[in-house]
Amino acid sequence: MFNITEKKLLASNIKLIKVYAPLISKKNKPGQFVVLRIDESGERIPLTIVDSDPKEGLITLIFQEAGKTTAKLGQLKEGDVIHDILGPLGNPSEIKTYGQVVIIGGGVGTAVAYPEAKALKTVGNRVITIIGARNKDLLILEDEMKTLSDEFYITTDDGSKGHHGFVTDVLKKLIEEKRKIDLVVAIGPTVMMRAIAGITRPYNIKTLVSLNPIMIDGTGMCGGCRVTVGNSTKFVCVDGPEFDGHLVDFDQLLTRQRIYLDDEIKALKLYEKDIGEKRGCQA
Ligand code: NAD
Ligand code: FES
């Protein structure tokens, strides 16, 4: 059992929790994730470890309430417990000195980009960050990203803050200005990562993406997280989650991410109905 020690609302449906998980907090490295189950019969979901504090034995997780399980997780309060957490899983990001790096966080993917940006800065890279969201209320970790960045850009799809447009607009501009870019790290919706890989490919700019497929066991057994990278079949949970963006078959990934979409929508609706009825009974 893992105790939730802190809970914060970051944006309308994006929440941060700190969980007491001393062994995971000691072993975790940037880029790694956990698979958790809220209760014994619950669905297993992967979440990237945003931060860890080995002294206090805490890990920080950020999630968007997008389906039944994340909605249920969002209902838990400080002092509640998560039934099991498996991790740290996956390979840590390769943190080394590249020179000038551009880190791009799209929406809730910024939570995953943050530990990587922090680690790349610590080893001496010049860090340019671009974070984007649909509107200003959905931007997360703005101060944290700004503090560690040598250059910092915000984009919003509706123009409510920063550049009016997508993160890709800023990246294109940096490339057009012939800025020296030694590495691009892109983490966010699959369509964003596909677009970024498409922009950097003709310039041969090394581009790493962190993939977020459906995961079940998180240990390479179920095949749920299968992706094609170059000519090889990879399992994101054990071979990733980071891959060369120029080699990922994003179209296949997008199709596989939608396999259970109808069931996910049904499960969320049933859960919301159930919660609504329980609240109605309590009123
Ligand atoms: P979103 O759809 O609001 O998009 C966030 C930003 O990405 C946009 O503001 C825009 O700047 C950019 N973007 C989106 N579509 C684009 C396109 N077609 N071309 C160029 N740029 C584009 O994001 P959200 O609702 O916060 O969703 C976040 C997504 O990130 C979810 O799909 C989630 O599964 C995924 N995610 C990924 C990881 C990971 O490790 N890759 C981790 C957490 C979440
Ligand atoms: Fe089962 Fe990766 S989640 S193989």
Side-chain angles (χ1 to χ4, degrees):
M1 296 282 187
F2 295 83
N3 203 40
I4 298 176
T5 61
E6 196 180 323
K7 182 182 174 193
K8 260 194 239 170
L9 181 69
L10 296 186
S12 73
N13 61 350
I14 305 175
K15 291 176 178 164
L16 173 153
I17 52 173
K18 289 193 181 181
V19 183
Y20 186 65
L23 294 179
I24 300 175
S25 74
K26 270 197 201 102
K27 284 192 76 182
N28 169 55
K29 296 208 169 70
Q32 290 187 295
F33 63 93
V34 291
V35 168
L36 64 80
R37 263 191 328 167
I38 297 173
D39 49 51
E40 219 171 341
S41 59
E43 179 196 20
R44 299 158 69 92
I45 55 160
L47 288 176
T48 299
I49 306 166
V50 178
D51 215 344
S52 54
D53 178 350
K55 238 170 105 188
E56 299 292 327
L58 297 174
I59 56 169
T60 302
L61 306 173
I62 292 179
F63 58 95
Q64 184 173 36
E65 290 182 22
K68 178 188 164 189
T69 303
T70 43
K72 222 168 154 182
L73 187 61
Q75 292 297 313
L76 298 183
K77 302 179 290 299
E78 287 176 13
D80 286 345
V81 291
I82 294 170
H83 190 274
D84 50 71
I85 303 186
L86 177 68
L89 299 171
N91 299 297
S93 312
E94 197 179 335
I95 302 301
K96 59 180 192 184
T97 312
Y98 293 91
Q100 180 148 268
V101 300
V102 178
I103 316 278
I104 305 172
V108 76
T110 304
V112 185
Y114 170 63
E116 183 140 359
K118 200 160 86 167
L120 285 167
K121 178 68 190 164
T122 308
V123 298
N125 290 288
R126 187 172 191 279
V127 172
I128 302 177
T129 49
I130 310 169
I131 63 169
R134 266 168 275 152
N135 61 55
K136 67 175 174 30
D137 298 325
L138 290 172
L139 286 163
I140 58 165
L141 302 176
E142 192 181 323
D143 292 342
E144 289 84 348
M145 284 297 237
K146 191 174 179 181
T147 306
L148 65 81
S149 305
D150 295 285
E151 255 176 81
F152 176 65
Y153 299 93
I154 286 178
T155 70
T156 49
D157 304 4
D158 69 352
S160 50
K161 190 159 188 182
H163 168 77
H164 185 173
F166 282 172
V167 286
T168 39
D169 300 341
V170 178
L171 176 66
K172 273 187 206 150
K173 192 162 175 282
L174 294 174
I175 294 175
E176 277 161 20
E177 288 169 355
K178 301 207 175 352
R179 301 283 298 273
K180 178 178 166 290
I181 301 175
D182 301 296
L183 171 73
V184 169
V185 179
I187 308 174
T190 303
V191 283
M192 179 202 90
M193 297 190 285
R194 180 177 63 183
I196 287 169
I199 292 168
T200 57
R201 191 178 287 110
Y203 299 91
N204 211 14
I205 301 171
K206 184 179 168 76
T207 300
L208 296 175
V209 294
S210 178
L211 303 184
N212 189 31
I214 290 169
M215 281 196 194
I216 302 151
D217 64 323
T219 60
M221 303 294 286
C222 71
C225 65
R226 175 166 62 80
V227 286
T228 304
V229 181
N231 292 322
S232 314
T233 294
K234 300 280 181 193
F235 296 106
V236 174
C237 63
V238 287
D239 298 319
E242 242 171 54
F243 293 98
D244 180 341
H246 295 161
L247 299 179
V248 172
D249 183 341
F250 287 107
D251 295 337
Q252 182 202 50
L253 175 61
L254 279 165
T255 306
R256 288 183 58 78
Q257 279 174 326
R258 292 179 189 132
I259 290 176
Y260 299 115
L261 197 59
D262 289 347
D263 295 322
E264 284 165 17
I265 293 168
K266 265 188 223 150
L268 180 62
K269 279 193 179 146
L270 274 174
Y271 173 71
E272 284 171 346
K273 189 168 167 253
D274 195 34
I275 285 277
E277 278 167 6
K278 278 188 187 142
R279 284 197 185 124
C281 289
Q282 283 161 6

